[in-house]
Amino acid sequence: MTLTKTLLASSALALLATAGLAQAVARENTVIFDLDRTIQDPENFNWMTPGTKRMHGAHQTMWEPLFILNYGTGNIDPWLATGFEQNEDSTEFTITLREGVEWSDGEAFNADDVVFTVNLAMTNEEISSREASTIKAQVASVEKVDDLTVRFTLQNPNPRFIVENFGVRIFGSFLIMPEHIWNGEDAATFAFNPPIGTGPYTFTSAASNRAIWDRNDDWWGAKTGFMDLPAPERVIFLESGGEESRAQLMASNQLDAAQNVTIGTFEAIQAQNPNVIAWHADYPYAAADPCARQLEINTTIAPWDDASMRKAVAHIIDRNQIVNVAYEGTTTASETMFAQYGSMAPFIDAVKEAGYGLPAAADVAAGQALIEAAGWTRDGDYYTKDGETLSVDIHVNSASTEYTRTIDVIVEQLQRAGIDAKAVPVENGVFWGEVLPFGAYEMSYSWLSCGSVNEPWASMGRYTVKDVVPVGERSPGFNNTARWDGGHAEAYSAVVDEIATRPLGDPEVPALVAEAYGHLDAGMPFIPLVQAAKLLPMNETYWTGWPTADNYYNHPFFWWNHTHQIIHNLEPAGN
């Protein structure tokens, strides 16, 4: 082990020793998850306000969802709720809650908590979280039928209301808070510390680089027979500090599940620690992520306010090179905005058959022709117009080498084509807190059309004109940060609004998707790049039962609200 590796391992051991302040818990009884970001406000657990408040263990161990979408079966599995019913036109939904659920302080979890939390989101104008904004936009009223029954009346038909808001379709869900603690507090400023939840773990401590959660042996689920207590006595979310250090922590058994790494890094980890596995046992190892990657474009900033210039960039980008260089062949080029899951095939095929799919290879000449048609002339290395060099700054979240590598490839491609492109790496909190939502970018790398895994509206609905706000004002729920507006955007929005009213499985929807996509292609407010793949090392030294392609109880993204399933499936190694 080199001196650098020794220092990394020693510093991690010291951190974990410091972490064990509340009680002594053996390493073999502790599961340690990788955290890919600094916890900006470790004493604040109000998930309705901006910043990292939930993914360092809060919604993985403490806050349980009502339902969980199972990516393997497509079912909406019940959790805090047992089921739901909807009326014929999908404007009314009645949710039945599970009997015997308790908050960790012993208070009953019931319909009052659900109604109270939903009303907070609907009435407090200062709340800005995506989930709260979505509820506010969709719900007309919510009422308690009895202690275990809640009825929602929607503003408009929405057949996907449950999975969209309460089913952990992508990352999280609308989280229910305890009325007996939040009542009388201003939800826009309340810090909610110490926090409580219904989950099998309670909060122990946190700092900017780690959070510790200890098992509540009086958990309601075990008392009612819903589920056994999870095996880990302690759960730690530990900031790894980047790919090199997370690799060393995994190799030395100081992490049990790590964030995304490259193929080369994963193979190096396995060479040092054969107990480390991934989603697939063999190449390409990675799991398909539902958030396809794309290049966001601020359509209000010249010259990118011209759709032909945006299309020029789309022609210049070589997606195959991104796959081969940035992803080392572990993914594929995107053909549309959608994640290429099997259930999305009818909609993807409809778009491609209509002629709007993107080729993987570049057509630089076609892109340059569009630039020249807009009045730009190649002058040496770059295009110029009226004494101005054609340039673009591309903001990128520096939290992952996947992100920065991709933009490095795109910058080089644009440079060769005559555009003076430059990568602007920024810290995770700045990227999500300041750059994207307020339109403080020309172009940026992200996945804001994320959402559709079994139907098209979830992704397409994120780019309608109803969410257009001026630059400098926060985009609601990160929707349409491109500020795409105008004729094509309005026509697109009208068709997408029609799709929203159609029941799941409606045979006319694929044709509507193709119609809407024609306007999206003409406007090009973002450029689809590649399908996302997550190569997540999982360590079987202390724990087995990790989700894999051969053990597909759900997907492996442990920073999501469904992580409750993962923790409950873990077993001590050797059992």
Side-chain angles (χ1 to χ4, degrees), residues 66 78 122 159 199 223 238 255 295 312 358 369 377-378 440 465 484 570:
L66 299 185
M122 292 174 61
K223 291 193 298 184
L238 176 69
L255 271 182
L295 189 67
L358 287 169
T377 303
R378 186 74 179 258
V465 294
W484 183 43
L570 294 180

Side-chain angles (χ1 to χ4, degrees), residues 371-513:
I371 293 171
E372 290 163 9
W376 297 84
T377 303
R378 186 74 179 258
D379 183 10
D381 290 336
Y382 304 116
Y383 281 97
T384 62
K385 181 179 179 180
D386 299 329
E388 177 185 355
T389 298
L390 181 58
S391 63
V392 64
D393 287 347
I394 306 178
H395 279 77
V396 57
N397 186 339
S398 61
S400 170
T401 54
E402 172 212 329
Y403 312 156
T404 55
R405 277 186 176 186
T406 300
I407 291 307
D408 286 345
V409 171
I410 290 174
V411 163
E412 182 179 345
Q413 292 173 354
L414 296 181
Q415 285 275 343
R416 288 199 305 266
I419 301 173
D420 187 11
K422 180 178 70 175
V424 183
V426 294
E427 189 270 331
N428 181 79
V430 173
F431 185 80
W432 291 106
E434 301 175 19
V435 174
L436 276 186
F438 293 100
Y441 65 90
E442 289 182 272
M443 296 183 189
S444 65
Y445 177 69
S446 74
W447 44 90
L448 292 186
S449 62
C450 187
S452 289
V453 295
N454 61 340
E455 57 79 34
W457 182 87
S459 290
M460 302 190 87
R462 304 196 69 177
Y463 283 88
T464 60
V465 294
K466 69 179 176 57
D467 289 322
V468 173
V469 296
V471 169
E473 183 177 328
R474 177 181 289 275
S475 293
F478 289 97
N479 292 340
N480 204 348
T481 68
R483 275 75 178 167
W484 183 43
D485 208 348
H488 279 296
E490 290 171 0
Y492 167 88
S493 300
V495 181
V496 170
D497 288 346
E498 170 65 20
I499 294 172
T501 68
R502 299 298 183 101
L504 299 181
D506 187 317
E508 295 183 5
V509 168
L512 290 171
V513 169

Side-chain angles (χ1 to χ4, degrees), residues 11-60:
S11 63
L13 287 171
L15 175 60
L16 293 179
T18 303
L21 296 175
Q23 63 186 66
V25 177
R27 174 66 181 93
E28 61 266 24
N29 295 323
T30 302
V31 60
I32 306 173
F33 291 98
D34 185 6
L35 185 63
D36 68 348
R37 63 199 64 201
T38 298
I39 304 172
Q40 293 180 315
D41 192 355
E43 301 302 318
N44 188 335
F45 286 89
N46 183 345
W47 69 270
M48 296 189 184
T49 55
T52 301
K53 303 293 198 307
R54 57 190 293 171
M55 63 186 293
H56 52 285
H59 81 164
Q60 297 102 316

Side-chain angles (χ1 to χ4, degrees), residues 136-222:
K136 184 176 181 179
Q138 294 182 1
V139 176
S141 65
V142 58
E143 61 180 312
K144 171 184 175 180
V145 178
D146 57 43
D147 281 349
L148 296 179
T149 312
V150 179
R151 180 178 297 120
F152 290 85
T153 302
L154 307 188
Q155 297 182 31
N156 298 291
N158 183 3
R160 61 200 62 80
F161 174 72
I162 295 296
V163 68
E164 184 175 338
N165 292 284
F166 300 112
V168 199
R169 183 186 57 194
I170 298 288
F171 174 67
S173 61
F174 184 88
L175 297 165
I176 308 305
M177 294 293 102
E179 180 190 21
H180 65 283
I181 292 177
W182 282 62
N183 193 18
E185 301 286 352
D186 181 354
T189 59
F190 182 39
F192 193 25
N193 192 16
I196 68 168
T198 62
Y201 294 86
T202 57
F203 175 63
T204 298
S205 66
S208 61
N209 57 357
R210 52 95 179 137
I212 305 171
W213 309 83
D214 285 321
R215 193 175 65 192
N216 172 19
D217 289 348
D218 195 40
W219 179 54
W220 69 268

